[in-house]
Amino acid sequence: MLKIRRRRPALSASKRIVFTLFQPATLALIVLFWARAPASLLDQAWLVTAISIATLVMVQALEFVNERHAGWRQNRRELLTDLFYVILYFAVISTLETKLAEEPLAAAKHALGITTDWTLHLPFVAQVAFALFVMEFGQYWLHRLMHNSFLWWTHAPHHHLTQLNAAKGLVGNPLELFLVSLSVIAVFDLPLNAVFCAYNLTGAISAFAHANVRFYTPRWYRYFFTTVEPHSLHHTVGFAETRCNYANAMILIDRMFGTFREGEAAVVGQEERKRLLISQQFMFPLRPLLAAIKGSRDKSASTSG
Ligand SMILES: [Zn+2]
Ligand SMILES: [Zn+2]
């Protein structure tokens, strides 16, 4: 009897330590990896994708070890949807972003002779922090605009999710996924390993912020980085209540602009909490147009009748 009593608290204490340190340790490992990456690896853009996907799989697996809500448990239907969006994002959306936005922006910078030598002389960690801040600053304002304009129709499918899991940050309307992947980072002179590191960090933090995992996050980490508590509150059911905690990875930006709200939500979704099919997520931005056509048809039918 005594032995059992002694062993149980020891196990939960070690689990608590692991789930306290997991998020900061993952970010530290990503920074260390890119800080020491040999130059030969910097030609391999696929490595960024491979690390992002490996991080997603690892965070999803943690759901089996320390689940947050039974109602968010990954099932076959959710897994297939998540897989579809992971492939869509890394095979199509990120390629489109590179070809349609990043490369033209880099070409324009070159043609106009824009240089930012000072960013090249920063220490590696400061370069990564700068890249992360630039990406997050743009994402924050675009996301905030989506909650306060017609762009909501592209972002709403992400909010109709009825449960959160590691890859849910990549689930939404493709137009929205493309828009939020845009950034002006190509304007700045930064070494590739710092930019790749920032991409992997935002991917890892977004996976943590959507994961069905109970972390015991240190206070200092929660101050700077987005975690599942404020992000689940952002996914809460009432539309008005979603207008907070916009930052994808750096919750610090919400604190800076007064949109941070403490708390969390276990029940997520919109309206009747009806889960959307992939086809409905794709067609969602057309809803106001289809409603207007239906309205004018109904009106002409009633006047002719
Ligand atoms: Zn949102
Ligand atoms: Zn989200």
Side-chain angles (χ1 to χ4, degrees), residues 143 155 158-159 161 164 168-169 171 206 209-210 231 234-235 248:
H143 188 187
H155 182 49
H158 182 64
H159 278 272
L161 296 172
L164 299 183
K168 288 291 192 286
V171 179
S206 177
H210 287 94
H231 196 69
H234 179 76
H235 276 269
N248 171 57

Side-chain angles (χ1 to χ4, degrees), residues 266-293:
V267 180
V268 297
Q270 283 292 292
E271 298 161 8
E272 309 291 313
R273 294 192 67 241
K274 197 171 170 291
R275 185 186 183 279
L276 299 182
L277 301 171
I278 291 173
S279 55
Q280 292 170 317
Q281 289 167 334
F282 271 54
M283 298 300 285
F284 205 93
L286 296 178
R287 282 191 182 189
L289 182 69
L290 296 175
I293 293 169

Side-chain angles (χ1 to χ4, degrees), residues 143-144 146-147 152 155-156 158-159 176 231 234-235 242-246:
H143 188 187
R144 193 167 163 177
M146 283 175 166
H147 280 258
W152 170 251
H155 182 49
H158 182 64
H159 278 272
E176 182 230 3
H231 196 69
H234 179 76
H235 276 269
T242 66
R243 285 174 165 165
C244 65
N245 305 339
Y246 295 111

Side-chain angles (χ1 to χ4, degrees), residues 146-187:
M146 283 175 166
H147 280 258
N148 293 278
S149 72
F150 69 93
L151 286 175
W152 170 251
W153 292 98
T154 68
H155 182 49
H158 182 64
H159 278 272
H160 276 75
L161 296 172
T162 51
Q163 67 177 86
L164 299 183
N165 304 103
K168 288 291 192 286
L170 301 177
V171 179
N173 180 267
L175 183 58
E176 182 230 3
L177 298 176
F178 175 74
L179 291 175
V180 296
S181 74
L182 298 173
S183 96
V184 295
I185 198 66
V187 168

